[in-house]
Amino acid sequence: MPDASTPLDATSRKTNRLRKAQVLGTFGVLLLLAATVPPFVNIKRFRHGILQAISEGLGRPVRAGSVELILLPRPAFVLHRFTVAEDPAYGAEPVLMAGTVTASLRASTLWHRRVEIATLSFDAPSLNLTRNAAGSWNFETLLHSSSTPAGPATGAKSASAGMPFPYVEASEARINFKSGVEKLPFSLEGTDLALWKESGGEWHLRIKARPVRTDLTVADAGQIRGEAVLHASGPLEDAPVRASLEWRRVQLGDVDRMLQGKDDNWRGVVDWTAHAQGTLASVLISTDVQVSEFRRAEFVPAAQMGLHLQCHGAYVRRRDALDGLQCSAPAGDGMLRVVAAGMLPLSSNGASGAPDAATSSAGGPPAITLLVQHVPAQSVLEMLRHVHPGVPSAAVVSGELNGTVACQWAGIRLPNGCSGQLQSTSLALRLPQFTRPLQLSRLTVAAAEGSPGIWQLQPSPVSLGAGTAATWSGTFSASSLALRITGPAKLRNVFRLAQAFRIPALSGDVRVSHGSAQLALAVQAAWLPQPLFSTTPGPQSIGFAPSLWTGNVQIRNAVITLPVLRRPLQLASAEIELAPGTAGWNHLSGTYGHVPFDGSLRWQFPCASTAPGCARTLLLHARSLNAADFLASLQIKSGPSHLLELVNPWAASVPKLPQLDAIVSVDLLTFGRLPIEHAALDLGMGGQTAELKSISGNVL
């Protein structure tokens, strides 16, 4: 087989070796220059020109402790202990400080006397952005001085011509914000910054930073990214500007801590973007905020929920105010809208600087209006479910909510001085305890006159199975609610409602087959967690206190089945009373196993059923009781141990007894042929045991 190598291949190999040799030779020459040239360069000659060039480019006096020259990878001077002076109108502290700054030179700098800076690279600098009382920022003078034309073109650059602005970049920078001489707690750390100027006075800014607070610890405030373009060829007020900013995947609790210095225990993942376009005098701003996995920190709801808010308006710099603010938030198939009337001042400076900035178009104080448009009632229920754990997780409601609320503008805080009303359509509430939905008529919630921050639920009928509907009403505020329900109801529905909302004395394992009730119940609950009292030493825990139920329920002709009783309990009448810390069944009158009785049952709550002092106290009275007949009604065979069986008829059964102290009095208690007059039995019960503590009476 012939040899594949040819004279052409040999020539190619020689050419490649020659190129490699040229590259290595060039690199060697550069290394030689880098090693030999700097010692012969007069650094003092260039030092003044370098600082003057940077000063003219930045429009500020600059200082440097020492300067050194490097040639690789490109010619540059390294400045140590570098500072940029502040404009006296904004303070005396340097606007910028850096331990090391690399000033890359244009190639022509080494061959003529004019020093031109191509790039300024700052390593971990500290930058102060200051806003004075007039609302101006210190970087505006930089834009203004650098935007001034250098003079007419002459074909050759004169020594006095203005220096071109260098490409400025910074890594791991810290940006501090100041209001006058006061340094604010907000800062940006780990900032990567790039600032450059193109032809025609077009400024470009690119930033990536991590927001922090200097007065407290924020676990993870995410990362901010932004870009901006400013055309500063004329007056700055008329300079067109275009900018975008985003803050993504940050925890809602950390946003809370960043903006207001405390954590209100709201949780969720926030994605925020903003866009601005206009001039520095008046710029149109649009924002988009999305919160996923929204909830309270104290509990985790069964399902996740997201929030979405979009806003747009114009920022008027001269008045430091928002104009034409409009926001919208979808809620199911409906919408929440916020519309502003007139200018909304963002600070006292904006309001005082422009008298008409603090008034609406109608001549009054600035206000915002909330429009509730076809918001599903289920969306409201979902929101409440993610705010408070007491809202039943399986509840479903149909219907919608509409209305208008007007509030006085109070800056970037919660609105106050609100008025208006919200009205629902007819609602159907489905609870798993009910086979049919509860029908609720139209609800109206209106601001209470003379009571700022209080909203009233107007009396509205609700059908609970009786011939006449009951009525419910209440009041709401930002911190709590109070509801009241009065009127007739089927007792079965009362217990179902009590099980759904965990009402003490009504929400146990009780089955009702017959009976009627007359309700007069009230409940008070706090929307937000509060410190919970604890007898143990140490810091107090935070949580949701149980809802406080008070009032009474009148019961008539009821048939009730309890798991610890083998037969239904027939009540001719009874009254359930709820008071703070106590519950009771009073004025009991009925029969069990054909044995008439009367009495009462009371206990304290909240309290563990097995804790000392938490036993229920039962007082029962019967006029006549035959032990054999009573045991027969309990389906227990009488025998030699019939007295023990009377004390503990549940010993072999599965259901456990509640913690109970019982005093049973019988006018005439009969054991076989032995009658006991005015008998009194003191019983202690709990679990599957019962104790006869004492028995007394008149025998023979």
Side-chain angles (χ1 to χ4, degrees):
M1 186 174 181
D3 188 0
S5 62
T6 63
L8 181 62
D9 294 332
T11 302
S12 298
R13 287 195 294 271
K14 290 180 180 179
T15 303
N16 291 336
R17 286 196 296 268
L18 181 60
R19 288 176 179 174
K20 291 180 180 178
Q22 290 175 344
V23 171
L24 292 175
T26 302
F27 185 69
V29 171
L30 291 176
L31 288 178
L32 181 62
L33 290 174
T36 59
V37 171
F40 297 99
V41 176
N42 188 349
I43 298 296
K44 293 182 179 180
R45 171 190 169 191
F46 283 97
R47 184 177 184 275
H48 177 73
I50 294 169
L51 296 180
Q52 182 179 4
I54 298 175
S55 178
E56 291 184 14
L58 297 179
R60 292 282 200 285
V62 299
R63 296 180 62 185
S66 61
V67 180
E68 61 178 303
L69 171 66
I70 60 174
L71 294 181
L72 294 177
R74 58 184 298 185
F77 286 94
V78 179
L79 295 83
H80 300 280
R81 300 185 301 280
F82 181 82
T83 62
V84 178
E86 178 63 283
D87 186 330
Y90 295 90
E93 184 181 4
V95 66
L96 187 145
M97 294 181 292
T100 303
V101 179
T102 302
S104 300
L105 306 178
R106 299 184 188 274
S108 59
T109 298
L110 297 178
W111 284 273
H112 58 71
R113 301 175 62 89
R114 177 186 174 92
V115 177
E116 292 186 0
I117 306 298
T119 302
L120 283 177
S121 299
F122 295 87
D123 184 17
S126 176
L127 173 65
N128 292 327
L129 296 182
T130 306
R131 188 171 188 259
N132 62 16
S136 299
W137 291 88
N138 58 350
F139 61 81
E140 296 180 26
T141 57
L142 167 66
L143 299 177
H144 186 271
S145 61
S146 298
S147 300
T148 304
T154 62
K157 297 178 181 178
S158 65
S160 61
M163 293 293 179
F165 189 84
Y167 182 92
V168 178
E169 60 184 8
S171 60
E172 292 299 317
R174 180 184 182 90
I175 300 179
N176 305 305
F177 295 91
K178 297 175 63 179
S179 178
V181 297
E182 179 185 1
K183 187 168 289 187
L184 301 179
F186 307 101
S187 296
L188 298 178
E189 284 188 347
T191 304
D192 292 336
L193 178 70
L195 176 67
W196 69 98
K197 182 183 178 184
E198 295 185 354
S199 60
E202 185 176 277
W203 291 83
H204 290 257
L205 171 68
R206 185 169 56 245
I207 186 172
K208 180 177 67 175
R210 184 177 67 255
V212 296
R213 281 186 70 110
T214 57
D215 57 345
L216 51 84
T217 302
V218 178
D220 183 9
Q223 189 180 77
I224 291 178
R225 293 173 177 263
E227 293 184 356
V229 178
L230 175 70
H231 297 268
S233 57
L236 285 180
E237 286 290 319
D238 301 328
V241 63
R242 183 177 71 255
S244 63
L245 193 66
E246 63 179 32
W247 192 7
R248 295 193 179 275
R249 310 305 295 173
V250 57
Q251 291 295 323
L252 185 56
D254 290 328
V255 174
D256 240 1
R257 292 170 66 84
M258 279 295 303
L259 298 183
Q260 61 177 3
K262 63 178 182 177
D263 186 359
D264 286 332
N265 283 345
W266 298 104
R267 293 295 179 265
V269 181
V270 180
D271 287 308
W272 175 78
T273 59
H275 300 276
Q277 188 167 1
T279 65
L280 290 182
S282 178
V283 59
L284 296 177
I285 300 176
S286 62
T287 65
D288 187 290
V289 182
Q290 297 192 48
V291 182
S292 58
E293 304 174 20
F294 174 76
R295 62 177 179 87
R296 288 292 306 177
E298 293 78 13
F299 70 100
V300 179
Q304 294 185 357
M305 180 180 185
L307 305 177
H308 188 194
L309 177 67
Q310 292 180 316
C311 294
H312 65 272
Y315 173 70
V316 182
R317 180 182 177 183
R318 182 173 62 87
R319 299 177 177 178
D320 193 21
L322 292 174
D323 187 21
L325 176 66
Q326 294 189 23
C327 298
S328 61
D333 295 332
M335 186 71 66
L336 296 172
R337 298 185 184 276
V338 174
V339 180
M343 293 279 186
L344 303 179
L346 297 180
S347 65
S348 58
N349 292 338
S352 61
D356 55 342
T359 60
S360 67
S361 57
I368 57 174
T369 300
L370 171 66
L371 303 176
V372 181
Q373 301 172 335
H374 307 291
V375 173
Q378 183 65 25
S379 297
V380 179
L381 186 63
E382 288 292 337
M383 173 61 74
L384 298 180
R385 191 173 289 151
H386 284 72
V387 170
H388 198 286
V391 180
S393 59
V396 178
V397 62
S398 61
E400 66 178 37
L401 193 66
N402 295 276
T404 303
V405 177
C407 302
Q408 295 179 4
W409 175 253
I412 308 299
R413 299 187 300 272
L414 289 176
N416 56 18
C418 298
S419 62
Q421 71 174 23
L422 304 174
Q423 192 171 46
S424 76
T425 61
S426 296
L427 305 177
L429 177 62
R430 296 181 179 273
L431 296 169
Q433 291 81 5
F434 290 82
T435 56
R436 295 181 179 180
L438 293 176
Q439 300 299 324
L440 306 177
S441 298
R442 293 176 179 268
L443 304 181
T444 300
V445 178
E449 294 185 6
S451 300
I454 303 298
W455 293 77
Q456 294 179 329
L457 171 64
Q458 305 298 333
S460 178
V462 53
S463 177
L464 292 176
T468 305
T471 301
W472 69 308
S473 59
T475 58
F476 302 87
S477 69
S479 60
S480 63
L481 67 85
L483 296 176
R484 181 175 177 83
I485 181 169
T486 59
K490 279 188 176 181
L491 186 61
R492 180 187 307 171
N493 290 337
V494 173
F495 275 89
R496 289 171 175 172
L497 201 63
Q499 290 168 359
F501 292 96
R502 299 192 292 270
I503 303 178
L506 295 172
S507 57
D509 188 8
V510 178
R511 295 187 296 275
V512 179
S513 55
H514 297 286
S516 61
Q518 185 71 27
L519 303 177
L521 291 176
V523 60
Q524 292 182 343
W527 288 119
L528 302 179
Q530 299 174 344
L532 300 180
F533 175 75
S534 176
T535 57
T536 59
Q540 290 184 328
S541 60
I542 304 295
F544 290 90
S547 300
L548 177 61
W549 288 87
T550 57
N552 63 80
V553 179
Q554 302 286 342
I555 297 176
R556 295 290 184 271
N557 304 321
V559 178
I560 298 175
T561 302
L562 300 175
V564 296
L565 297 178
R566 296 173 183 253
R567 290 188 179 183
L569 187 67
Q570 297 181 344
L571 291 178
S573 63
E575 180 182 6
I576 302 175
E577 289 185 349
L578 298 176
T582 62
W585 288 59
N586 300 325
H587 311 300
L588 292 168
S589 177
T591 59
Y592 178 77
H594 305 292
V595 177
F597 68 88
D598 58 79
S600 64
L601 174 64
R602 299 189 66 82
W603 69 94
Q604 295 180 348
F605 68 89
C607 192
S609 60
T610 58
C614 291
R616 292 164 170 81
T617 302
L618 174 64
L619 301 177
L620 280 181
H621 170 260
R623 291 186 295 274
S624 176
L625 179 64
N626 186 286
D629 294 340
F630 183 69
L631 292 175
S633 68
L634 295 174
Q635 299 180 356
I636 296 178
K637 295 180 180 179
S638 59
S641 60
H642 59 273
L643 181 59
L644 178 61
E645 291 170 344
L646 173 64
V647 174
N648 187 11
W650 301 273
S653 62
V654 176
K656 293 184 178 181
L657 293 171
Q659 191 78 8
L660 191 67
D661 291 333
I663 303 296
V664 181
S665 60
V666 183
D667 293 344
L668 179 61
L669 176 63
T670 304
F671 281 100
R673 295 182 180 181
L674 177 64
I676 302 178
E677 295 183 349
H678 305 296
L681 291 81
D682 185 358
L683 305 175
M685 304 180 184
Q688 291 183 334
T689 62
E691 175 188 4
L692 177 60
K693 298 179 181 180
S694 66
I695 182 171
S696 62
N698 298 329
V699 182
L700 302 177

